[in-house]
């Protein structure tokens, strides 16, 4: 019987701290964890008291990837139906997180293996500890990086780095991951939460409607031609204007031009 709290949640000052919480199993993603994570994302997504979601890991690991026993061996034993069901559950919450209504930050404290690259990529920003270790260990146990992971490294990294990680299964630490741009920043482990909080608080000061449309735009335009992207961005801004009942863009201009209370080049207007 699987433990109940495979995901922990704590909301404080408009930041939802969501943790992989199977530290004894290095936060490997079991079908139970995948189902619970989808429920948690669902519960938090439109709450007014949540402005940013941070995905962290309890114990020494962020996530040791998919659970080799519960996600692979035990679902394969159930036949194709079992396999497809668990794939749908894991891919489902990764997708939900990629298009999440709130900005998201991966806070990587330790191990990040294989399938863990799915939620890593799904988060908009990523901050890790220098002590974190990232690896595509799939090749070490005889499979290719599936579940979108090959796509993740090709999208995030230059081809030589993507190929190196894929073929060697080599580990890289947090600093190397930041140099490679797999994450935004790497900081010493004892500063990880403080730095992540600072970044989350910076996001909380931005117009939330603009954040949602901007993060989606960054993910969408990559596969578009220039003309398609130009058109998409016009339409999305018009849609944002409709959704932003605070008319933030007008207020932003007013506070700069009329009130002279801030400078957009140097920071955000008062929400
Ligand atoms: N799947 C299932 N169980 C796991 C996983 C995993 N991915 N990772 C760790 N565990 C379990 C171990 O079996 C062990 O269980 P036990 O206490 O019942 O024996 C427990 O977690 C602790 O693991 P240890 O190996 O003892 O921990 P250690 O800190 O020494 O090593 C490490 C951590 C390096 C993460 C190691 O556990 C490991 O190599 N795990 C597998 C990583 C991996 O290759 N993941 C799959 C990536 S590919 C994919 O996701 C598609």
């Amino acid at each position: 019987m699987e433990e109940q709290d495979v995901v922990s949640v704590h909301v404080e000052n408009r930041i939802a701290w969501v943790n992989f919480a199977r530290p004894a199993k290095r936060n490997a993603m079991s079908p139970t964890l995948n189902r619970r994570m989808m429920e948690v994302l669902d519960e938090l997504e439109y709450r007014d008291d949540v402005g940013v979601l941070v995905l962290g890991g309890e114990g020494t690991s962020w996530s040791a990837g998919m659970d080799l026993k519960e996600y692979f061996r035990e679902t394969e034993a159930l036949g194709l139906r079992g396999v497809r069901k668990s794939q749908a559950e894991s891919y489902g919450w990764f997708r939900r997180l990629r298009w999440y209504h709130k900005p998201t930050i991966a806070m990587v404290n330790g191990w990040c293996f294989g399938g863990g690259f799915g939620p890593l990529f799904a988060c908009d920003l990523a901050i890790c500890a220098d002590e974190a270790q990232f690896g595509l260990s799939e090749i070490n146990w005889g499979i290719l990086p599936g579940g979108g992971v090959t796509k993740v490294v090709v999208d995030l990294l230059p081809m030589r780095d993507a190929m190196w990680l894929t073929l060697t299964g080599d580990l890289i630490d947090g600093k190397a991951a930041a140099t490679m741009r797999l994450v935004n920043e790497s900081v010493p482990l004892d500063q990880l939460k403080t730095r992540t909080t600072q970044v989350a608080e910076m996001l909380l000061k931005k117009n939330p409607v603009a954040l949602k449309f901007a993060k989606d735009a960054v993910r969408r335009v990559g596969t578009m031609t220039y003309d398609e992207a130009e058109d998409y961005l016009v339409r999305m801004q018009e849609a944002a204007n409709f959704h932003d009942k605070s008319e933030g863009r007008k207020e932003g201009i007013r506070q700069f031009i009329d009130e002279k209370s801030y400078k957009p080049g140097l920071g955000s207007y008062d929400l």
Side-chain angles (χ1 to χ4, degrees), residues 26 60-65 108-121 132-137 171-172 182:
R26 304 300 180 263
T60 57
S61 185
W62 193 63
S63 174
V108 184
N109 51 305
W111 303 111
C112 177
F113 281 110
F117 280 54
L120 178 70
F121 176 70
Q133 297 277 339
F134 298 81
L136 296 186
S137 55
L171 284 172
I172 56 169
L182 189 58

Side-chain angles (χ1 to χ4, degrees), residues 24-26 28 60 64-69 72 111 113-116 137-138 141 143:
K25 297 289 182 185
R26 304 300 180 263
T60 57
M66 310 319 293
D67 188 307
L68 299 198
K69 176 170 166 284
F72 284 105
W111 303 111
F113 281 110
S137 55
E138 284 89 339
W141 62 280
I143 70 162

Side-chain angles (χ1 to χ4, degrees), residues 33-34 59 63 91 93 138 223 229 247-248 260:
L33 184 145
N34 291 329
S63 174
Y91 302 172
W93 80 260
E138 284 89 339
T223 55
E247 302 221 297
K260 299 195 185 303

Side-chain angles (χ1 to χ4, degrees), residues 9-262:
V9 185
H10 171 65
V11 178
E12 191 176 351
N13 300 328
R14 305 201 61 234
I15 304 171
W17 300 92
V18 177
N19 279 348
F20 295 110
R22 297 180 76 212
K25 297 289 182 185
R26 304 300 180 263
N27 298 327
M29 290 178 275
S30 60
T32 308
L33 184 145
N34 291 329
R35 283 192 287 274
R36 181 66 193 135
M37 194 61 91
M38 182 64 115
E39 286 171 5
V40 164
L41 294 179
D42 197 37
E43 285 159 14
L44 294 170
E45 188 159 18
Y46 294 101
R47 268 173 59 167
D48 290 338
D49 63 338
V50 172
V52 175
L53 183 144
V54 175
L55 183 59
E58 303 215 336
T60 57
S61 185
W62 193 63
S63 174
M66 310 319 293
D67 188 307
L68 299 198
K69 176 170 166 284
E70 295 185 35
Y71 180 84
F72 284 105
R73 192 164 69 189
E74 291 177 3
T75 56
E76 275 178 31
L78 301 174
L80 189 58
R81 186 175 176 182
V83 171
R84 290 287 180 265
K85 181 171 183 291
S86 10
Q87 287 170 337
E89 287 165 351
S90 59
Y91 302 172
W93 80 260
F94 299 170
R95 187 178 309 114
R96 183 73 176 267
L97 193 58
R98 280 201 303 283
W99 302 105
Y100 211 58
H101 194 68
K102 311 288 169 64
T104 55
I105 306 172
M107 181 176 75
V108 184
N109 51 305
W111 303 111
C112 177
F113 281 110
F117 280 54
L120 178 70
F121 176 70
C123 289
D124 302 319
L125 301 175
I127 302 173
C128 73
D130 297 342
E131 293 86 344
Q133 297 277 339
F134 298 81
L136 296 186
S137 55
E138 284 89 339
I139 202 72
N140 292 340
W141 62 280
I143 70 162
L144 61 78
V149 170
T150 297
K151 174 71 174 156
V152 166
V153 289
V154 167
D155 275 6
L156 287 180
L157 303 176
M159 192 273 254
R160 295 294 180 205
D161 290 328
M163 195 66 91
W164 189 274
L165 293 180
T166 301
L167 298 188
T168 66
D170 272 359
L171 284 172
I172 56 169
D173 66 14
K175 283 184 177 166
T179 305
M180 218 181 252
R181 309 310 296 148
L182 189 58
V183 298
N184 293 96
E185 285 180 23
S186 181
V187 297
L189 183 58
D190 62 5
Q191 293 166 32
L192 182 62
K193 185 151 188 202
T194 305
R195 179 59 188 147
T196 305
T197 305
Q198 283 172 351
V199 174
E201 285 173 348
M202 180 262 293
L203 294 172
L204 288 172
K205 295 195 179 99
K206 312 292 183 196
N207 179 310
V209 177
L211 281 173
K212 167 61 177 158
F213 279 85
K215 62 178 258 180
D216 286 2
V218 170
R219 288 187 189 271
R220 292 272 186 221
V221 298
T223 55
M224 294 180 192
T225 64
Y226 190 94
D227 283 348
E228 286 165 348
E230 195 180 66
D231 190 50
Y232 168 86
L233 294 168
V234 167
R235 307 289 158 221
M236 284 304 111
Q237 184 56 55
E238 288 166 357
N241 295 348
F242 171 78
H243 282 285
D244 183 7
K245 301 304 177 204
S246 73
E247 302 221 297
R249 70 200 185 284
K250 292 184 182 168
E251 180 60 15
I253 294 173
R254 191 189 69 74
Q255 289 181 19
F256 175 50
I257 299 293
D258 304 332
E259 211 171 87
K260 299 195 185 303
S261 55
Y262 85 112

